[in-house]
Amino acid sequence: MNLLVKSLVGAVMVLLIGLLSRTRNYYIAGLLPLFPTFALMAHYIVGSERGTADLRTTILFGMWAVVPYLAYLVSLYWLVARMRLVPALGSALLVWCLVAGLLVVAWNRR
């Protein structure tokens, strides 16, 4: 049942993004992926199963996780003016993966 609820929440978010992208305020569709749907779930699970100290570590790592997303957005902003949409998205995704990988490596070395 828990998995079904998570799937429904994800489907609702995709539906909302699709609907908002067709409105006059289409840019709000870029805000919805940042709604902390999955963060709420992760924080609840870690907080209830691992305790406050591990939850605080998870929250701190989550703050740093904004860096790969920002790298994705900056690279995509630059790339969409220079190439077709699908290659730009793929390249920006690669940037996200590289920066996320660097973040994980740096986090594990601390």
Side-chain angles (χ1 to χ4, degrees):
M1 184 58 118
N2 195 13
L3 189 58
L4 179 63
V5 170
K6 292 174 187 172
S7 299
L8 289 174
V9 169
V12 167
M13 292 303 286
V14 170
L15 180 64
L16 287 173
I17 290 168
L19 291 173
L20 277 171
S21 69
R22 295 184 177 118
T23 68
R24 184 178 80 146
N25 299 318
Y26 59 89
Y27 50 87
I28 296 174
L31 179 62
L32 282 182
L34 297 176
F35 183 81
T37 306
F38 299 108
L40 285 168
M41 291 178 207
H43 295 150
Y44 176 78
I45 292 167
V46 171
S48 62
E49 293 181 4
R50 300 207 41 127
T52 304
D54 287 347
L55 175 58
R56 288 174 53 91
T57 300
T58 302
I59 294 166
L60 185 60
F61 184 79
M63 290 178 199
W64 280 102
V66 174
V67 174
Y69 187 67
L70 182 59
Y72 165 82
L73 290 176
V74 168
S75 63
L76 185 60
Y77 183 83
W78 186 80
L79 289 167
V80 294
R82 290 162 177 76
M83 58 177 62
R84 292 187 320 269
L85 179 60
V86 173
L89 288 167
S91 299
L93 182 59
L94 181 61
V95 169
W96 183 92
C97 290
L98 291 171
V99 175
L102 290 172
L103 173 63
V104 170
V105 168
W107 186 266
N108 285 327
R109 289 188 181 181
R110 66 174 189 95

